[in-house]
Amino acid sequence: MARQRNLAASLGAWSALHRKTALFGWLFAVIALTVLGGMAGQKTLTEADYGTGESGRAARLLVDAGIKTPAPEMVLVHSRELSVEEPEFKKAVADAIAAVDGTGLAQSIADPYKTGAVSKDKHDALVQFAVKGDPDTAADRIQPVVDALAKVDETHTGVTLGQYGAASGLKGINDSLGEDFTRAEFTAVPVALGILLVVFGALLSAVLPLILAITACVAAMGLLALSSQLVPVDSMTNSVLLLMGLAVGVDYCLFYIRREREERAAGRDKETALRIAAATSGRSVLISGLTVAVAMAGMFLSGLTVFEGFAVATIEVVLIAVLGSMTVLPAVMAMLGDRIDAGRIPGLRRRTRVRTVGEKPGRLLGAVLRAPALFAVLGIAFLLALAAPALSMKTEKLGFDQLLPAGNVTAQTAQRIEKSFPGAPAPAQIVFETGDITSAESVTAIEEFKKQALASGDVKNPVEVTVHEDENIAVINAPLPGDGRGATSVAALKQLRDVIIPATLERDSANQAPVGGDLAFSTDYNDQLKSSIVPVFAFVMGISFLLMLLCFRSPVIAVTSIVLNLLSVAAAYGVMTAVFQKGWGDELVGTTAVGAVESWMPLFVFVVLFGLSMDYHVFVVSRIREAYDMGVDNRSAVAHGIRSTAGVVTSAGLIMVAVFAVFGTLSMQDFKQLGVGLAVAVLLDATLVRAVLLPAVMALLGRSNWWLPGWLTWLPQLSHGEEQPAAPARDDTVPAPSAPPAPARS
């Protein structure tokens, strides 16, 4: 069967011949996307956009009716020595109320002495109010209130004031996000550059991948701003884009440059070396990028808007990085030639070693190939041991106080409020819609709801009812018992939804009363994620199988790829559960375990890791197949492929681990979980899986690796290297003799 034309080789050849067109076309595209994206502005998700299930229906009812519930805020007045009845404490409460009212930004200010918002131990009082205006912009306008309360706090030495609520909590998140994003930018780039300097030993060849990765991220951010007009994104999406863009952008360039340098060291001329790099590494980059992009598309099946934004951002940055590595990179390399090694660094410059088929493997690889069954069992057992804690994984939509660092003042205030006033931070919000909200039946239904809810103990006082007559909607805020997220609160929410509301507010089938609020949102969000796991996992694994089957014409290789990737993902889940849920070694990553894994993390980590793992897998197996297609027996081909790619896979893995680890050092809890999970998985994938498990499994399978059923012979036969003469008959029991290495070029 004739081999299919290699698209990567064609693009590389075109770019090498049309260098200026490729280079200036890339620069123009980056600038154009940046300008257009800046003009359009990035459209972010509103609070209602995040919703799903019943809580999403409650939020949508309010949006459709044009009702915007003011952002609730709380001021905690606390003293360890003073009682709430003492004059100094009362003066502090009065001054706090006056300060909040004096900003002109507050409404419905509640005096705790009138509402009974005093703790049982008489050392805390809670001043509640709402922020005037649009709740979606409240976080941007809350600073004057924060400043006013800070002045009151300074004047009362025996009493401390703390603020927490929808606006101040979101402001704390946004401030931390901004600081984290800046720190990630200024840390990840130098770290990646340092690793590249060690890998290449030359300044220019180290800087080039980084420049291309950064410009790919810049272009992708501009494109994301444009696409966000159709698919709004979460505020964290830019950080995810930077994380993925730096990781894959640098890796793709690294694969390409290392192969070109290797061919030059083998004695090839510049044009031939670049052509081979395009046909081999360029093709691996294309397949890897498409696999990552398709895997990311699985997030569209989650049914959650935040995942749709993540999917769009990662697909855009990965495809742009692929395009850059296949066009502008070969153009620049053709321009530079051997000058790409300019700026050699003393002590770091090492001659590229040319690996030949039949060369004796190193100690580890040699041991693996001599006893593949033993190493396969040990490697799998180790990964399963790491994965074991994941059996008890608990996922939860983390609240503001959990996302913020443990030492954050806002987080500490929220935790104190939860302890002293259970249910106060996040009451259930029932949106009661009926034909006539002022009718006697509606008024009776609301009163009956309050009576039954309070009598059941599943709702606590004060139950607040806000009636919107023109919209025929009543918004009922009902504090739940417990801490607002534990088993007690969850049970109360279930009783509210399943028993109390159907018996009162929804007794008339024409009425509807969906329950929203923080706990309801978290519960529905988790339920939606759990229901989407099977379709997302099936889609990603199915597409990955088809792509690997198409690439290598081997169902065995495709299945092996999926199993090895699943082991890496399971190990990452286990480490995340151990650190962030159980608290094993949490101090090593500078955090305190919050007792749960962020609810969207498992699905996102699975999709990302499944895509990224293909980077190494395609690159390594392509070199193995390349040798096998030249007539080398299976075991020698495996040895050659692993040896030939060991350096570049280790370097690429180190860069990814370093970038992800930077995110693991940031202050936000979700960044930490994401960074640690990805870093651990990539580390295992680039070392244990690729250096031990992959060669062990492929050695055990032997010629079965390349088995293709007769009914699949119609699959296109893709080239895995430069065109070779017809291979001699292969004897898989005797290693093929190795050709002498070509003279090395410096």
Side-chain angles (χ1 to χ4, degrees):
M1 180 184 294
R3 295 186 184 275
Q4 298 296 307
R5 187 177 182 182
N6 192 317
L7 176 61
S10 299
L11 281 176
W14 180 90
S15 299
L17 289 174
H18 303 84
R19 305 168 187 179
K20 291 184 179 179
T21 302
L23 177 58
F24 288 107
W26 173 262
L27 294 176
F28 174 79
V30 172
I31 294 171
L33 286 172
T34 302
V35 172
L36 292 174
M39 293 172 61
Q42 191 174 94
K43 186 176 180 182
T44 56
L45 293 167
T46 64
E47 185 176 352
D49 292 330
Y50 287 93
T52 186
E54 186 175 327
S55 60
R57 190 156 52 90
R60 186 54 54 189
L61 272 176
L62 295 176
V63 170
D64 292 343
I67 298 172
K68 291 191 174 184
T69 304
E73 283 290 309
M74 295 168 281
V75 179
L76 178 69
V77 184
H78 166 73
S79 176
R80 283 188 292 183
E81 295 82 15
L82 300 176
S83 164
V84 295
E85 302 299 335
E86 297 188 43
E88 186 178 343
F89 196 104
K90 288 186 175 182
K91 180 67 165 57
V93 171
D95 288 350
I97 293 174
V100 170
D101 190 38
T103 63
L105 295 172
Q107 64 185 42
S108 306
I109 304 174
D111 188 325
Y113 293 104
K114 296 178 180 178
T115 60
V118 173
S119 64
K120 290 181 179 180
D121 64 4
K122 304 296 183 181
H123 286 285
D124 297 277
L126 197 63
V127 178
Q128 296 172 287
F129 65 97
V131 182
K132 292 180 180 178
D134 188 349
D136 291 331
T137 63
D140 301 325
R141 298 180 285 105
I142 196 65
Q143 189 60 46
V145 178
V146 175
D147 295 338
L149 289 171
K151 292 180 180 178
V152 175
D153 188 39
E154 290 176 0
T155 60
H156 293 276
T157 55
V159 177
T160 59
L161 273 66
Q163 183 178 350
Y164 174 71
S168 55
L170 183 56
K171 183 181 184 303
I173 294 285
N174 289 339
D175 290 346
S176 290
L177 277 174
E179 294 173 3
D180 282 350
F181 190 62
T182 301
R183 196 193 320 169
E185 286 182 79
F186 285 98
T187 306
V189 172
V191 168
L193 177 59
I195 296 172
L196 287 169
L197 286 172
V198 173
V199 170
F200 289 112
L203 182 61
L204 186 55
S205 53
V207 169
L208 182 57
L210 205 54
I211 291 176
L212 286 175
I214 292 172
T215 53
C217 289
V218 171
M221 285 183 183
L223 183 59
L224 181 64
L226 296 175
S227 62
S228 70
Q229 308 306 313
L230 298 175
V231 183
V233 298
D234 180 76
S235 57
M236 188 180 171
T237 306
N238 283 337
S239 300
V240 172
L241 186 151
L242 175 66
L243 180 78
M244 293 295 296
L246 279 177
V248 301
V250 171
D251 273 11
Y252 291 162
C253 294
L254 179 61
F255 290 163
Y256 213 112
I257 295 174
R258 282 294 292 264
R259 183 59 188 263
E260 191 272 346
R261 293 288 84 193
E262 181 182 328
E263 295 301 327
R264 287 291 284 144
R268 312 280 191 180
D269 60 75
K270 292 185 295 184
E271 291 75 14
T272 303
L274 191 56
R275 187 186 74 244
I276 294 175
T280 55
S281 292
R283 179 182 170 281
S284 296
V285 165
L286 176 61
I287 295 172
S288 298
L290 290 177
T291 305
V292 174
V294 172
M296 295 301 170
M299 287 191 280
F300 286 112
L301 300 178
S302 67
L304 295 169
T305 51
V306 65
F307 278 102
E308 293 177 1
F310 286 162
V312 170
T314 49
I315 289 171
E316 288 174 352
V317 74
V318 167
L319 292 183
I320 289 174
V322 169
L323 181 63
S325 65
M326 293 176 62
T327 55
V328 69
L329 180 59
V332 173
M333 291 177 68
M335 288 180 180
L336 294 173
D338 290 338
R339 287 175 296 174
I340 195 172
D341 287 329
R344 296 184 179 183
I345 301 173
L348 292 181
R349 178 63 181 169
R350 293 186 297 271
R351 177 178 294 181
T352 302
R353 185 176 179 184
V354 181
R355 298 288 186 178
T356 58
V357 176
E359 183 179 340
K360 184 178 179 180
R363 290 184 180 179
L364 176 60
L365 181 58
V368 170
L369 294 178
R370 285 192 299 272
L374 174 64
F375 280 91
V377 170
L378 291 177
I380 292 172
F382 178 73
L383 290 178
L384 291 178
L386 286 179
L391 294 174
S392 60
M393 179 187 285
K394 173 188 175 184
T395 59
E396 183 179 296
K397 190 72 181 74
L398 301 181
F400 287 154
D401 58 312
Q402 293 170 297
L403 289 172
L404 292 168
N408 183 278
V409 175
T410 305
Q412 291 175 341
T413 300
Q415 291 161 3
R416 178 74 190 180
I417 292 174
E418 284 186 6
K419 181 179 179 181
S420 301
F421 303 92
Q429 185 182 73
I430 301 99
V431 181
F432 176 43
E433 184 186 51
T434 184
D436 182 3
I437 198 66
T438 60
S439 67
E441 292 82 1
S442 298
V443 173
T444 300
I446 293 173
E447 289 303 318
E448 183 64 21
F449 165 79
K450 291 171 67 176
K451 179 180 177 182
Q452 289 194 25
L454 291 170
S456 70
D458 294 309
V459 169
K460 301 171 68 68
N461 265 319
V463 177
E464 300 175 349
V465 181
T466 304
V467 176
H468 302 272
E469 294 184 5
D470 293 340
E471 294 81 10
N472 287 315
I473 287 177
V475 178
I476 306 171
N477 286 325
L480 300 174
D483 61 3
R485 63 167 66 97
T488 301
S489 300
V490 171
L493 175 66
K494 181 175 175 57
Q495 189 74 2
L496 199 63
R497 283 177 162 177
D498 297 346
V499 178
I500 299 173
I501 289 177
T504 55
L505 300 176
E506 291 181 339
R507 182 179 296 174
D508 185 338
S509 59
N511 299 342
Q512 59 176 326
V515 181
D518 287 355
L519 178 60
F521 172 83
S522 178
T523 302
D524 295 340
Y525 198 87
N526 256 336
D527 290 344
Q528 178 61 35
L529 280 172
K530 290 176 182 176
S531 67
S532 67
I533 283 178
V534 172
V536 171
F537 277 41
F539 174 84
V540 172
M541 289 190 291
I543 290 297
S544 297
F545 175 86
L546 292 176
L547 285 172
M548 295 300 290
L549 178 63
L550 179 64
C551 178
F552 296 107
R553 303 182 83 237
S554 167
V556 176
I557 291 293
V559 171
T560 302
S561 305
I562 290 174
V563 172
L564 293 179
N565 286 347
L566 285 175
L567 286 172
S568 297
V569 172
Y573 284 175
V575 172
M576 291 168 65
T577 304
V579 174
F580 298 104
Q581 180 178 318
K582 300 180 182 296
W584 301 349
D586 54 355
E587 68 279 356
L588 297 177
V589 293
T591 189
T592 300
V594 293
V597 175
E598 171 65 48
S599 56
W600 57 266
M601 200 65 65
L603 189 147
F604 183 76
V605 167
F606 167 80
V607 173
V608 170
L609 289 179
F610 227 83
L612 292 181
S613 293
M614 289 302 176
D615 276 356
Y616 307 118
H617 201 82
V618 169
F619 189 69
V620 175
V621 178
S622 289
R623 291 301 292 268
I624 296 173
R625 186 61 193 250
E626 185 180 338
Y628 189 79
D629 287 346
M630 294 170 61
V632 180
D633 67 278
N634 178 75
R635 187 160 295 200
S636 295
V638 170
H640 176 67
I642 298 296
R643 282 198 319 271
S644 300
T645 57
V648 68
V649 167
T650 301
S651 302
L654 186 59
I655 289 172
M656 276 201 183
V657 170
V659 171
F660 294 153
V662 167
F663 278 73
T665 66
L666 303 182
S667 61
M668 294 286 289
Q669 180 70 205
D670 46 4
F671 278 160
K672 283 188 176 295
Q673 294 188 7
L674 181 62
V676 169
L678 293 178
V680 167
V682 172
L683 178 63
L684 292 171
D685 196 67
T687 54
L688 177 62
V689 172
R690 302 304 159 212
V692 177
L693 279 180
L694 178 62
V697 171
M698 292 190 72
L700 286 172
L701 292 172
R703 296 180 65 179
S704 299
N705 286 305
W706 317 110
W707 170 75
L708 182 69
W711 55 275
L712 285 176
T713 54
W714 56 270
L715 289 172
Q717 189 169 348
L718 304 180
S719 172
H720 289 265
E722 59 176 330
E723 291 301 320
Q724 300 290 337
R730 177 188 293 106
D731 180 359
D732 276 317
T733 62
V734 181
S738 62
R745 291 175 65 106
S746 58

